Amino acid sequence: MSEECTHDCGSCGSSCGDRTAPQISRSTNNSGVKKVIAVVSGKGGVGKSLVTSMLAVNAAKKGLKTAILDADITGPSIPKSFGVVEKAGCNEDGTVIYPGMTKKGIKIMSLNLLMENETDPVIWRGPVIASAVSQFWNDVAWGDTDVMFIDCPPGTGDVPLTIFQSLPVDGIVVVTSPQELVTMIVDKAVNMAKLMNIPVVGLVENMSYFKCPDCGKVHYIYGESHIHETAAKNGIDIIAQIPIDPKTAASVDAGEAEELDVSVLDPMFDKINGISKETENVTIAVTYEDGQVFQHFGHSEHFKIYNVEDGKVVSGHMIDSGSEGHEALAGVLQQEHVDVLICGGIGGGAMDALSSMGIQVVPAATGSADDAVAAYLNGQLSVDMQPNCDHHEEGHSCGSHDCGSHGDDGEGCSCGGCH
């Protein structure tokens, strides 16, 4: 171990006897994020934030619930691109941060939404910056999000390493520009992704060319493009070329990124939308009673276990919980190697406990258990990701009724699992 060791293994690429492998982090706040795409570049100044914004706009236009995590802590530009000026809020004790929102509903978290003056410099060392990114992932209430795009800082240092090791990244998009030097640096980003066993979704060449608005002739201001050779060398089959267009710069400067023409990224969206790593091979548990999703996790006597391969249910079996209590039930699910729990009512403490075990919680589901699993695999299960059963508060509400009206012991309350 080096004398200069910060003991932050998540932001360190060295190997030593004291090193512990970072774990993929899931919490109540981010358990509703279905897909995470990191946008990276080998160096700065190639338009990575522009591409991140365009990818998010493209996904939102296609009907996906979309979010952007601005991990470029020392150079955050995402809020300005979308004209978001209102500061991020938080709950009463400051433990949960609420993201900003664009005019058309894209959720955003950036350091500029937390700073009093957005022009103040951020003079932090690498481990502190990496810690801030982890907080954005864990402490922001992302809610139900189909796809999150992460605007990574340039290079392959502390922050990208932290993102790849501790966030459930499903794929990366690499951004470059036509210069041969930059193209060479693309190899570094691609090789880092390979080392982390994360697939490369595609390659985007920004500032690829300029098309004269008068004569229509195409000019390669930065030299002939090498994107096709670079993509072929790295086995990347999806590419996109974004031209130099003063209208694009003007729209971003005016905070109107959502008005951009993003159709050039349609093939990239199709590839991203097709990624289903999270649901291809998983074990799903459902709180179960008489074929229905049982509504109260803490009192669930039965679970139905579904084994999923290639996105399809291949087998299922019933198990008894054996005992009541959140800790005991969580242990039962862990023994079954469950990846996803679909349930009805569940408290925040239970959600946190399950999330800490790496089990994604999908609460507030109703109706047929089989139908709920099918809807989840198709990305169509509509749920409320907030804890909806808090038995620590007298007279609390659970679902659509007020349990406080049934007395302190819950007698006569049909919710059962609230108490």
Side-chain angles (χ1 to χ4, degrees):
M1 180 176 64
S2 168
E3 293 181 359
E4 298 179 356
C5 179
T6 64
H7 303 285
D8 182 3
C9 298
S11 63
C12 176
S14 302
S15 177
C16 70
D18 292 336
R19 183 177 178 81
T20 57
Q23 300 294 317
I24 297 297
S25 174
R26 279 287 189 183
S27 70
T28 301
N29 292 322
N30 58 45
S31 61
V33 179
K34 299 180 180 66
K35 196 172 298 181
V36 177
I37 304 296
V39 183
V40 305
S41 63
K43 67 179 295 297
V46 298
K48 176 180 45 55
S49 295
L50 170 65
V51 173
T52 302
S53 301
M54 293 179 68
L55 285 166
V57 171
N58 188 289
K61 286 184 175 180
K62 297 294 196 304
L64 298 187
K65 297 175 183 176
T66 308
I68 299 177
L69 191 160
D70 189 355
D72 196 354
I73 299 297
T74 59
S77 58
I78 294 295
K80 181 173 177 58
S81 298
F82 288 90
V84 177
V85 295
E86 185 176 351
K87 301 303 180 184
C90 64
N91 62 352
E92 290 185 0
D93 57 8
T95 57
V96 177
I97 304 170
Y98 302 115
M101 192 79 70
T102 70
K103 297 174 184 176
K104 297 186 179 180
I106 298 174
K107 286 170 277 192
I108 291 177
M109 177 45 60
S110 171
L111 189 65
N112 270 4
L113 299 183
L114 299 175
M115 299 181 67
E116 183 175 350
N117 186 349
E118 64 178 19
T119 61
D120 289 342
V122 179
I123 309 174
W124 295 350
R125 295 190 181 276
V128 179
I129 295 175
S131 178
V133 172
S134 296
Q135 283 188 283
F136 283 178
W137 169 244
N138 288 305
D139 296 347
V140 174
W142 292 109
D144 189 12
T145 299
D146 293 316
V147 58
M148 170 187 287
F149 294 96
I150 302 180
D151 184 13
C152 297
T156 56
D158 284 348
V159 176
L161 184 63
T162 296
I163 291 169
F164 289 167
Q165 290 183 326
S166 59
L167 273 67
V169 178
D170 295 283
I172 72 167
V173 172
V174 181
V175 183
T176 183
S177 59
Q179 301 100 313
E180 190 168 351
L181 173 63
V182 176
T183 303
M184 178 192 71
I185 295 174
V186 167
D187 294 344
K188 293 182 179 292
V190 172
N191 288 333
M192 183 177 187
K194 290 178 179 177
L195 288 172
M196 297 296 172
N197 198 29
I198 299 173
V200 178
V201 173
L203 181 60
V204 179
E205 184 178 72
N206 189 35
M207 299 177 285
S208 185
Y209 58 88
F210 172 73
K211 186 174 183 179
C212 177
D214 296 324
C215 68
K217 185 178 180 179
V218 172
H219 301 271
Y220 295 95
I221 296 175
Y222 292 107
E224 291 290 337
S225 171
H226 299 279
I227 189 171
H228 294 281
E229 297 92 327
T230 303
K233 181 176 66 173
N234 290 287
I236 301 171
D237 57 354
I238 301 293
I239 62 174
Q241 293 174 282
I242 300 175
I244 298 173
D245 188 345
K247 293 180 181 178
T248 298
S251 293
V252 171
D253 288 344
E256 297 176 352
E258 286 171 301
E259 303 305 320
L260 292 172
D261 178 2
V262 294
S263 58
V264 67
L265 296 175
D266 282 348
M268 203 78 62
F269 169 81
D270 293 338
K271 182 72 174 287
I272 291 170
N273 201 36
I275 294 175
S276 56
K277 182 181 71 175
E278 188 172 342
T279 58
E280 277 186 351
N281 299 287
V282 295
T283 300
I284 302 174
V286 182
T287 51
Y288 192 87
E289 184 177 62
D290 297 330
Q292 304 292 302
V293 179
F294 184 61
Q295 289 301 294
H296 314 292
F297 173 75
H299 286 226
S300 185
E301 297 180 359
H302 311 286
F303 294 98
K304 187 170 181 179
I305 308 297
Y306 299 78
N307 297 308
V308 177
E309 295 181 6
D310 296 325
K312 298 180 180 180
V313 175
V314 295
S315 64
H317 63 278
M318 297 291 302
I319 64 170
D320 295 330
S321 65
S323 61
E324 292 186 2
H326 296 150
E327 292 185 6
L329 294 177
V332 169
L333 297 179
Q334 191 175 38
Q335 289 176 2
E336 290 285 328
H337 305 290
V338 168
D339 301 297
V340 179
L341 168 69
I342 297 175
C343 62
I346 186 170
M351 287 183 71
D352 287 339
L354 291 163
S355 294
S356 69
M357 295 178 178
I359 298 175
Q360 180 188 358
V361 181
V362 184
T366 59
S368 163
D370 292 350
D371 289 348
V373 170
Y376 172 78
L377 293 175
N378 291 328
Q380 298 175 341
L381 184 58
S382 178
V383 298
D384 177 4
M385 294 308 302
Q386 298 303 315
N388 57 1
C389 188
D390 187 352
H391 62 273
H392 299 290
E393 295 183 16
E394 185 176 340
H396 71 286
S397 62
C398 180
S400 61
H401 65 279
D402 185 357
C403 298
S405 63
H406 302 293
D408 293 340
D409 60 357
E411 184 178 354
C413 176
S414 61
C415 82
C418 297
H419 304 281

